[in-house]
Amino acid sequence: MFPAVTYQVFLLKRFKTRYMKLSACLSYLYKKDDFLEKKLAEIIGKDKVSTDIGDRLCFSRDVTPLCYKWIDLYKLPPYTSDIVASPETTGDVIKIVKFAGENNKKLFIYGGGSGVVGGVIPTERGITLDMSRMCGIINLDEQSLTVEVQSGIIGQNLEDFLNKKNYTLRHFPQSIRSASVGGLIATRSTGQFSTKYGGIENYVVGLEAVLPDGSLLNTGDKPRSSTGPDINNFFIGSEGIFGVITKAILKIYKMPEEVKYQCFIYRDIFCALDSIREIMQSGIKPPVIRLYNSEESRLKFEKLGFNYDGCLLILCFEGKKELVEAEASVAMEICSKMHARDIGGELGKIWFENRFDTRHILEKEEEPGGMSDAIELASSWSKIKKLYTEVEKYFKEKNITLASHFSHAYTTGISVYNIFYLNAKDEKEAIDKFYEVWDDVMGIALENDATISHHHGIGIIKRARLKQELGKGIEIIKKLKDSLDSENIINPGKLIEN
Amino acid sequence: MDVEKKSQRQCIFCHNFCKFSCAPYIATKNQKIIQTQKNYLIYMAEMEKIKANTDLGEAVYLCNDCRRCETYCVFENKKVIGNNRYARNLIFKEKLASDRVYEIYDNFIQYGNFLGEKKEAKEIRNSDKDKKYDFFIYAGEYVNFLAPEIKESFIKILTSLNKNFIFCDDEDPDGILALDLGMKELAQKLMENNFKKISRYKFDTLICLDPYSCYGFKNDYKDYGYEFDCGIIHYTEFLENNISDIKINKTDSHIKYFDPCMLSRGLKINDSPRKVLSFINSESNFDLIKNREESECCGGHLSLIFPDVAEAVSAGFLKELESYDDKTEVLVTACPLCLSNLSNVKKSGRFKIYDLAEYISRNID
Ligand SMILES: Cc1cc2nc3c(=O)[nH]c(=O)nc-3n(C[C@H](O)[C@H](O)[C@H](O)COP(=O)(O)OP(=O)(O)OC[C@H]3O[C@@H](n4cnc5c(N)ncnc54)[C@H](O)[C@@H]3O)c2cc1C
Ligand code: SF4
Ligand code: SF4
């Protein structure tokens, strides 16, 4: 049986929000909400709604490490929505949003479910909006090099479609095989080739969104405009709270003519960081710059043939052949000046082939009392070394394994990806430690003027610290939310606390 | 932890990076088909936290065992077939599968085949149990009932080569479909019968016309204790070794090869059909954009249970191919399910679709 009281206390503690008793949760799992089912079926069609317990459970979890622990602890997420609605058209979304508003039903948007901050987990009862059927490719504009899609399409399915026509997105988050375009926009995602092509904000040319009152916004496909603040940017990183993104027009690229990898070994991670800064500020744009500290170099690459002592720097260059050669030689000169050891490009290719391997994280999640997560911080060049040193010291003191790498470089700074692997005596202690680590490391980041999230978003995991990072900014977000969605219908409890 | 349990747990504790690759999921958007969710729900049902129901039953059978998810799996050497059979066995026993699954079961029991057809077995050659043959040809149920042209064509090829071969004149089902559909006990009986029957003949090499049978004879039969004392090959391997002896009219149509999932991902036979094709056609590259282990799906055995979904999958593939490839005229494959599913698409566009055996036999001089 479920330890009902413990479960409820645990939930209260975790989300600092009101939850119904577990017994109630279990009973409503089996109880159909006939009104909701009947009404939604009437407005969008019977085959687009489901109250099946399996569907509701599937759509109530993402890949937040907490979800894994819940499986072994309680077998259930804290909440499931009452019903899953699967729109096929923007018209369907409008009807559902209007219905939710008129009947004060909460709406939780589910894109690909690859989020790692609990963005899709219902925080109370309501409707899950499953965007997966909105996966059409509407228009490929080969002159403007843009593609217009419905937002539920999975990134890799779009990339495969483009490749068949000799185009490519080049927005390659590691989760491209499961994340949807809508989710990628809503979380302000970035990709492994971001150093040249930028984050999703550099891809979105225009979008269509259904606002919380059911009205439709369409921003067109203009290359740029000076007509007030960029409306696209209200939705990029909005985590769904301002409305449902239904379509997007994204930039695409022609397949690169040439791709070249170069790898270097550095004795000292800070020397390597200086090289990256110089590369970025020299005006060249390698799409991939990844620097692994010596622990992660070993952990990740030893089985793939890495047998060096030091930190691994992977660079990739792509585009026209002449350009690739020129950029590679500029980078080579910078790295040699810093006494880096040139080890050729092979490990870069191996990294590319193995870039989806997340076994080291998953095996930890699966261990009793084990938990792993990635804390993706970013700061300016002038502050990054101190940030890195303090985070590393924190994990050493706590005796928690840490593997870090730097990726996503800019002329002004860089992001650092800290993967930690913790052990606890049981799942409950693991969850407590997990929250403690997150809170402490976000504290260190904020003290160092770094961001608490470079690309995963806030969800329900990082909400408590957001105010500290945004200051007045959070009031703007809250006021916007309030004016667009005064009843807090869409994605309540996400990004900002209720 | 036994293999199936470990595999189930890996899928539950997963980042789900195989999601994009699952054709039935893409066609239906039924979230419960994908490995991570299916295994999560099966696990919860086993732990009695939820009651398995017919919705879950349907989803479990909507996966067609194409193993494309294995190609993109974060865990090396993943075997999702174990997960699938485990889940289906549970669902089947709980009577939560669709009616069509139980119909197939009854057909096996009553008629000895999945279709429920009382089909007259055609004797191809007089068989002599005491005579030693070079080859024993096992067509398999899919060939016998869905694509008999493969058998006819292959016999024509063997005859033209003057080979010493035998067809079993009353072939029994191999049990692999029953195993895949979660009918474990029935499958074991079928395997035993079939093994005994084939073992009555004397031959050196068992040639399978169906990659599912070939994979089953090499792996599942062994797991159940039925090990053939002979070589087991797929017919494309035979063709590879003998193609130079076949008098053939070369063609110059634009051909692409559609890799069948069980041949490419299961048996890892990728080069043989391509080498055979290069004998008959001057095309330098027979690869579709997604080829070999990454090859796309035809709908597989979904056509037996959910024909609409199978058609959506194969039609989706053909429609997309037509949208970016304006050259290809002929699609050649080497599996009765691929042939039947792709040919059954009501509007298969401009492509002519053949099985490799059929394509060779049509061009025999
Ligand atoms: C192993 C792994 C690697 C990852 N690598 C990267 C990486 O390299 N880069 C990166 O940026 N992220 C990465 N992520 C994180 C995650 O994949 C991204 O956050 C992704 O953008 C989520 O997309 P999704 O479609 O899965 O969204 P979901 O998880 O479904 O949802 C995320 C949030 O967006 C909202 N949302 C979804 N669709 C819409 C819509 N149509 N309209 C409005 N709101 C919507 C949801 O309500 C939720 O709040 C990784 C995750 C994992 C597990
Ligand atoms: S098949 Fe592999 S990638 Fe897919 S869910 Fe299972 S473990 Fe994960
Ligand atoms: S075996 Fe094929 S159909 Fe089944 S889950 Fe994997 S990809 Fe989908």
Side-chain angles (χ1 to χ4, degrees):
Chain A
M1 257 324 283
F2 286 91
V5 178
T6 333
Y7 187 68
Q8 199 192 353
V9 170
F10 153 77
L11 294 174
L12 277 167
K13 211 168 137 195
R14 293 289 59 101
F15 290 160
K16 299 184 181 74
T17 177
R18 284 200 7 251
Y19 279 91
M20 68 171 78
K21 282 198 176 107
L22 182 70
S23 51
C25 176
L26 282 176
S27 68
Y28 96 80
L29 256 182
Y30 284 99
K31 204 171 145 245
K32 285 194 173 183
D33 187 327
D34 292 336
F35 166 77
L36 256 184
E37 192 176 9
K38 186 167 167 279
K39 282 289 165 193
L40 274 173
E42 266 170 29
I43 61 170
I44 55 166
K46 203 165 165 260
D47 56 337
K48 295 181 199 164
V49 293
S50 168
T51 50
D52 172 52
I53 188 170
D55 282 325
R56 287 156 60 205
L57 286 173
C58 290
F59 284 109
S60 297
R61 69 176 189 129
D62 59 10
V63 292
T64 306
L66 281 177
C67 289
Y68 299 129
K69 293 293 110 174
W70 289 333
I71 291 172
D72 274 343
L73 251 179
Y74 303 110
K75 312 287 181 286
L76 290 169
Y79 257 98
T80 71
S81 49
D82 296 278
I83 194 162
V84 179
S86 306
E88 285 171 8
T89 61
T90 301
D92 287 343
V93 177
I94 292 174
K95 287 178 192 163
I96 298 165
V97 170
K98 279 191 174 158
F99 170 83
E102 283 158 10
N103 294 280
N104 200 14
K105 297 285 176 195
K106 303 297 181 194
L107 207 56
F108 299 97
I109 313 166
Y110 185 103
S114 75
V116 283
V117 290
V120 304
I121 302 173
T123 46
E124 48 191 295
R125 294 182 66 167
I127 305 164
T128 287
L129 192 67
D130 153 32
M131 298 301 291
S132 63
R133 293 194 199 175
M134 294 194 52
C135 59
I137 295 167
I138 301 161
N139 183 33
L140 175 67
D141 182 341
E142 297 188 71
Q143 278 192 44
S144 319
L145 284 189
T146 59
V147 67
E148 184 178 2
V149 293
Q150 283 185 301
S151 66
I153 190 168
I154 298 174
Q156 187 65 49
N157 292 133
L158 174 57
E159 176 66 11
D160 285 348
F161 165 84
L162 291 171
N163 291 173
K164 285 169 182 166
K165 297 185 187 286
N166 232 358
Y167 296 112
T168 170
L169 201 57
R170 291 220 110 45
H171 184 62
F172 293 158
Q174 193 184 27
S175 53
I176 189 170
R177 290 176 169 180
S178 56
S180 69
V181 164
L184 291 167
I185 296 172
T187 54
R188 208 175 164 84
S189 66
T190 199
Q192 290 171 325
F193 282 49
S194 70
T195 305
K196 179 173 178 134
Y197 301 98
I200 194 73
E201 66 278 13
N202 298 94
Y203 283 88
V204 177
V205 176
L207 46 78
E208 179 192 86
V210 175
L211 303 181
D213 65 356
S215 57
L216 194 63
L217 170 87
N218 201 320
T219 64
D221 68 349
K222 298 167 275 289
R224 186 180 187 273
S225 53
S226 169
T227 48
D230 183 351
I231 303 292
N232 288 336
N233 265 321
F234 286 130
F235 291 87
I236 302 173
S238 65
E239 302 196 17
I241 66 168
F242 297 148
V244 185
I245 300 160
T246 43
K247 286 180 192 162
I249 300 175
L250 302 173
K251 269 187 210 167
I252 57 168
Y253 292 88
K254 291 182 180 159
M255 279 291 196
E257 198 178 285
E258 178 96 353
V259 179
K260 179 176 181 163
Y261 283 92
Q262 262 181 356
C263 301
F264 299 90
I265 304 292
Y266 283 81
R267 287 247 185 85
D268 176 24
I269 191 125
F270 289 161
C271 264
L273 272 178
D274 289 339
S275 299
I276 298 177
R277 179 170 47 81
E278 227 182 285
I279 289 172
M280 290 310 295
Q281 293 172 350
S282 72
I284 63 169
K285 282 197 173 239
V288 179
I289 297 190
R290 300 179 76 84
L291 169 64
Y292 296 86
N293 73 4
S294 45
E295 288 78 15
E296 204 183 354
S297 299
R298 241 194 345 268
L299 210 74
K300 207 172 163 73
F301 292 96
E302 207 165 32
K303 56 182 183 297
L304 304 174
F306 179 85
N307 58 354
Y308 304 94
D309 199 12
C311 316
L312 173 67
L313 172 65
I314 298 177
L315 303 177
C316 167
F317 305 90
E318 63 176 29
K320 289 260 176 218
K321 200 171 182 325
E322 310 85 279
L323 205 67
V324 165
E325 289 310 324
E327 290 199 330
S329 81
V330 172
M332 174 69 89
E333 201 183 309
I334 293 171
C335 296
S336 312
K337 210 175 65 193
M338 299 281 187
H339 309 293
R341 182 168 160 200
D342 175 6
I343 57 165
E346 205 45 41
L347 268 177
K349 287 185 205 148
I350 293 177
W351 162 77
F352 184 75
E353 275 156 25
N354 289 278
R355 69 196 184 284
F356 296 112
D357 183 358
T358 57
R359 256 177 309 175
H360 48 296
I361 293 178
L362 294 170
E363 279 163 4
K364 194 73 197 172
E365 311 289 13
E366 198 249 351
E367 245 177 51
M371 237 172 146
S372 174
D373 204 359
I375 305 183
E376 15 73 74
L377 310 173
S379 83
S380 62
W381 284 117
S382 55
K383 291 166 184 156
I384 192 72
K385 290 179 186 171
K386 184 162 166 279
L387 173 71
Y388 174 78
T389 311
E390 287 183 19
V391 170
E392 200 183 33
K393 185 165 158 256
Y394 169 80
F395 281 102
K396 252 191 201 127
E397 278 170 8
K398 289 271 169 186
N399 204 14
I400 297 172
T401 307
L402 172 72
S404 307
H405 67 255
F406 295 87
S407 45
H408 316 293
Y410 307 88
T411 54
T412 58
I414 193 164
S415 135
V416 55
Y417 200 77
N418 305 289
I419 306 173
F420 65 86
Y421 304 84
L422 65 79
N423 297 309
K425 69 174 191 307
D426 57 26
E427 311 302 8
K428 279 205 204 98
E429 192 187 277
I431 291 173
D432 283 337
K433 274 194 172 179
F434 171 84
Y435 269 95
E436 191 185 305
V437 166
W438 260 105
D439 198 53
D440 291 347
V441 176
M442 286 194 291
I444 297 172
L446 291 164
E447 276 162 24
N448 283 281
D449 298 331
T451 177
I452 56 172
S453 181
H454 175 261
H455 57 268
H456 286 165
I458 299 297
I460 53 172
I461 304 283
K462 308 179 204 172
R463 285 179 316 191
R465 288 281 195 173
L466 187 63
K467 191 171 177 209
Q468 264 176 281
E469 176 164 342
L470 296 187
K472 261 286 188 224
I474 196 131
E475 280 173 36
I476 298 176
I477 296 179
K478 279 186 172 163
K479 281 187 177 145
L480 261 174
K481 171 72 175 167
D482 204 39
S483 66
L484 287 170
D485 186 8
S486 57
E487 296 302 318
N488 201 14
I489 295 292
I490 304 191
N491 271 7
K494 304 299 162 59
L495 183 64
I496 46 174
E497 284 173 310
N498 285 339
Chain B
M1 210 186 297
D2 64 41
V3 181
E4 279 154 355
K5 280 277 149 205
K6 186 168 175 227
S7 183
Q8 183 196 54
R9 216 171 144 75
Q10 281 175 339
C11 284
I12 300 170
F13 287 77
C14 187
H15 289 140
N16 194 19
F17 285 175
C18 60
K19 180 176 179 176
F20 81 101
S21 68
C22 178
Y25 165 69
I26 300 292
T28 62
K29 291 293 150 34
N30 183 335
Q31 185 83 195
K32 289 169 294 191
I33 301 174
I34 53 180
Q35 293 289 342
T36 194
Q37 304 290 31
K38 167 167 63 198
N39 284 293
Y40 169 52
L41 295 176
I42 288 287
Y43 170 68
M44 290 213 296
E46 281 179 290
M47 303 298 285
E48 295 181 353
K49 299 302 177 205
I50 61 164
K51 282 191 208 90
N53 57 17
T54 48
D55 278 11
L56 178 58
E58 182 181 88
V60 161
Y61 281 87
L62 268 167
C63 153
N64 64 26
D65 296 323
C66 74
R67 301 171 67 165
R68 195 160 187 240
C69 48
E70 271 177 27
T71 300
Y72 303 102
C73 181
V74 289
F75 296 99
E76 260 170 298
N77 304 321
K78 182 78 180 172
K79 296 268 184 284
V80 295
I81 298 297
N83 293 359
N84 296 348
R85 287 175 179 168
Y86 181 77
R88 290 192 197 128
N89 193 238
L90 274 167
I91 293 292
F92 183 77
K93 284 201 288 212
E94 294 288 323
K95 300 265 178 292
L96 295 170
S98 69
D99 293 346
R100 180 70 191 124
V101 173
Y102 297 104
E103 240 172 67
I104 292 177
Y105 179 81
D106 291 341
N107 288 343
F108 273 126
I109 303 281
Q110 268 193 46
Y111 302 100
N113 63 65
F114 69 90
L115 266 187
E117 271 186 28
K118 189 85 199 99
K119 219 174 162 169
E120 279 301 308
K122 234 201 266 169
E123 189 164 334
I124 310 287
R125 280 193 172 201
N126 288 331
S127 56
D128 179 348
K129 289 202 178 71
D130 297 322
K131 189 177 157 193
K132 174 102 189 267
Y133 295 90
D134 291 336
F135 302 105
F136 183 104
I137 314 303
Y138 186 82
E141 283 192 288
Y142 295 142
V143 169
N144 285 329
F145 293 105
L146 303 177
E149 58 270 44
I150 299 179
K151 185 156 77 179
E152 284 151 27
S153 307
F154 194 64
I155 292 164
K156 186 174 160 194
I157 296 169
L158 287 174
T159 313
S160 81
L161 286 166
N162 215 8
K163 294 287 180 189
N164 170 24
F165 67 97
I166 182 180
F167 261 95
C168 188
D169 43 17
D170 55 346
E171 200 172 85
D172 274 347
D174 53 28
I176 303 304
L177 174 63
L179 197 60
D180 285 339
L181 297 186
M183 307 162 184
K184 203 170 164 181
E185 289 74 22
L186 170 68
Q188 182 152 13
K189 252 186 235 149
L190 294 175
M191 282 194 264
E192 187 181 346
N193 288 349
N194 190 39
F195 179 76
K196 280 186 185 153
K197 181 178 256 175
I198 295 177
S199 303
R200 273 187 236 137
Y201 297 90
K202 295 195 188 79
F203 55 91
D204 290 332
T205 306
L206 177 55
I207 301 182
C208 305
L209 303 188
D210 173 0
Y212 289 86
S213 311
C214 191
Y215 186 88
F217 291 156
K218 284 182 172 194
N219 299 281
D220 302 311
Y221 271 54
K222 230 193 235 171
D223 294 345
Y224 279 81
Y226 309 119
E227 198 159 349
F228 287 106
D229 183 21
C230 63
I232 303 170
I233 60 170
H234 183 250
Y235 85 81
T236 52
E237 296 173 289
F238 169 87
L239 285 182
E240 183 191 355
N241 295 331
N242 291 276
I243 187 76
S244 53
D245 298 333
I246 304 175
K247 285 202 189 79
I248 216 154
N249 293 316
K250 290 216 170 196
T251 77
D252 55 7
S253 9
H254 294 293
I255 300 182
K256 289 278 178 245
Y257 175 66
F258 181 88
D259 288 273
C261 61
M262 194 40 97
L263 206 60
S264 59
R265 288 188 276 271
L267 291 161
K268 313 259 183 264
I269 298 176
N270 293 304
D271 292 338
S272 303
R274 287 175 170 79
K275 283 186 187 154
V276 173
L277 277 176
S278 64
F279 261 88
I280 187 166
N281 187 278
S282 50
E283 198 91 53
S284 60
N285 182 2
F286 301 106
D287 289 351
L288 289 161
I289 288 191
K290 294 284 171 193
N291 57 70
R292 294 176 166 81
E293 270 150 47
E294 288 196 293
S295 65
E296 289 179 281
C297 188
C298 74
H301 61 52
L302 284 185
S303 53
L304 313 181
I305 305 165
F306 304 104
D308 292 354
V309 181
E311 168 144 5
V313 169
S314 39
F317 163 76
L318 289 174
K319 195 171 151 216
E320 205 189 41
L321 181 62
E322 207 162 9
S323 79
Y324 68 84
D325 176 340
D326 50 16
K327 223 171 113 193
T328 301
E329 297 154 318
V330 176
L331 274 179
V332 176
T333 185
C335 166
L337 275 181
C338 295
L339 179 68
S340 138
N341 288 344
L342 293 173
S343 316
N344 280 347
V345 172
K346 286 180 196 86
K347 277 162 66 189
S348 62
R350 60 165 202 275
F351 306 110
K352 291 196 182 78
I353 298 155
Y354 300 105
D355 187 89
L356 184 62
E358 195 188 359
Y359 199 63
I360 301 292
S361 91
R362 286 172 72 94
N363 290 291
I364 286 180
D365 194 3

